Amino acid sequence: MQIEIIKDNNQYNEQIKHVVTSAFKQDNEAILVEKIKEESDYYVSYLAIDKEKDMVVGHVMISPMILNGVSNVLCLAPVSVLSEYENHGIGSQLIKQAISEASKNENYDIITVLGSDHYYNRFGFEGYDTNKFVLPFEVEPRFFQIMELKDDCLKSLTGTFDYPHYFGN
């Protein structure tokens, strides 16, 4: 299996839709990807391509989230890999590449993710501080996680998180 991680150039939109829908067993996340591409001023999107089959087998997206009414933080979502390609490190490669690119944008201090603490902590995510942050929904702190893009920025950040309208709040 030869997998290549490439930046999304909108050439593979239909294949991305298939991968995301297959991974989540519904089309809500695929619709979210399309809305982010259409409506967000900034996003990071990477694909995993099976070079032998010339097809998309994985996708990751990072886009702005809202803290205290301002889009000054990022959200890692969704991450998708076709089931037959899982457990080969493809999701990890996608996430690392997307985080690497997002960290170059000086407008954002942190990235958040809603997901397994056992999976995402390997990338540097940690549970949020319930004394400093409020979420728009109930969730165990270990599942809503934060990673600093700028050293020690969490010391001064506090407030209420929200998602842009296209997340379908």
Side-chain angles (χ1 to χ4, degrees), residues 10 18-19 26-27 34 48-49 59 63 77-78 83 97 101-102 114 121 135 152-153 167 169:
N10 292 316
H18 169 72
V19 168
Q26 62 178 7
D27 65 355
E34 291 172 354
I49 306 285
H59 175 259
S63 62
S83 60
Q97 187 64 46
E101 181 174 328
L114 182 60
N121 67 8
L135 301 178
D152 296 323
C153 69
F167 272 81
N169 300 359

Side-chain angles (χ1 to χ4, degrees), residues 42 63-75 102 105-112 133 146-147 149-150 153-154 156-162 164:
Y42 173 78
S63 62
M65 188 174 180
I66 299 166
L67 178 62
N68 300 326
V70 180
S71 294
N72 56 354
V73 299
L74 295 170
C75 174
N105 189 323
E106 296 181 10
N107 295 321
Y108 302 99
D109 296 330
I110 62 173
I111 299 177
T112 66
F133 297 106
I146 297 173
M147 180 178 66
L149 294 175
K150 296 178 182 171
C153 69
L154 283 174
S156 62
L157 286 177
T158 186
T160 302
F161 283 109
D162 203 356

Side-chain angles (χ1 to χ4, degrees), residues 11-159:
Q11 174 184 345
Y12 296 98
N13 287 340
E14 284 304 311
Q15 288 189 49
I16 292 170
K17 184 176 184 176
H18 169 72
V19 168
V20 177
T21 300
S22 296
F24 286 93
K25 312 281 190 271
Q26 62 178 7
D27 65 355
N28 292 353
E29 287 79 6
I31 292 168
L32 174 61
V33 168
E34 291 172 354
K35 286 182 177 180
I36 290 170
K37 286 181 173 188
E38 291 170 6
E39 299 180 36
S40 181
D41 292 336
Y42 173 78
Y43 65 86
V44 174
S45 181
Y46 276 90
L47 315 173
I49 306 285
D50 181 330
K51 291 185 71 168
E52 295 165 4
K53 296 180 180 179
D54 190 32
M55 67 181 240
V56 176
V57 299
H59 175 259
V60 66
M61 184 166 262
I62 294 177
S63 62
M65 188 174 180
I66 299 166
L67 178 62
N68 300 326
V70 180
S71 294
N72 56 354
V73 299
L74 295 170
C75 174
L76 171 64
V79 179
S80 311
V81 176
L82 290 177
S83 60
E84 58 268 31
Y85 288 85
E86 289 178 348
N87 300 313
H88 293 286
I90 294 169
S92 293
Q93 290 178 56
L94 286 165
I95 291 167
K96 287 176 185 175
Q97 187 64 46
I99 290 171
S100 176
E101 181 174 328
S103 68
K104 296 173 188 171
N105 189 323
E106 296 181 10
N107 295 321
Y108 302 99
D109 296 330
I110 62 173
I111 299 177
T112 66
V113 67
L114 182 60
S116 167
D117 57 332
H118 297 293
Y119 184 74
Y120 289 103
N121 67 8
R122 72 179 80 172
F123 305 103
F125 288 93
E126 298 178 357
Y128 77 102
D129 184 340
T130 57
N131 295 314
K132 291 181 68 175
F133 297 106
V134 177
L135 301 178
F137 47 79
E138 291 288 324
V139 65
E140 286 186 48
R142 65 190 183 104
F143 294 123
F144 185 85
Q145 300 162 70
I146 297 173
M147 180 178 66
E148 290 182 319
L149 294 175
K150 296 178 182 171
D151 291 339
D152 296 323
C153 69
L154 283 174
K155 290 180 181 177
S156 62
L157 286 177
T158 186

Side-chain angles (χ1 to χ4, degrees), residues 3-15:
I3 302 297
E4 181 180 18
I5 306 300
I6 65 168
K7 190 170 184 172
D8 182 2
N9 60 12
N10 292 316
Q11 174 184 345
Y12 296 98
N13 287 340
E14 284 304 311
Q15 288 189 49

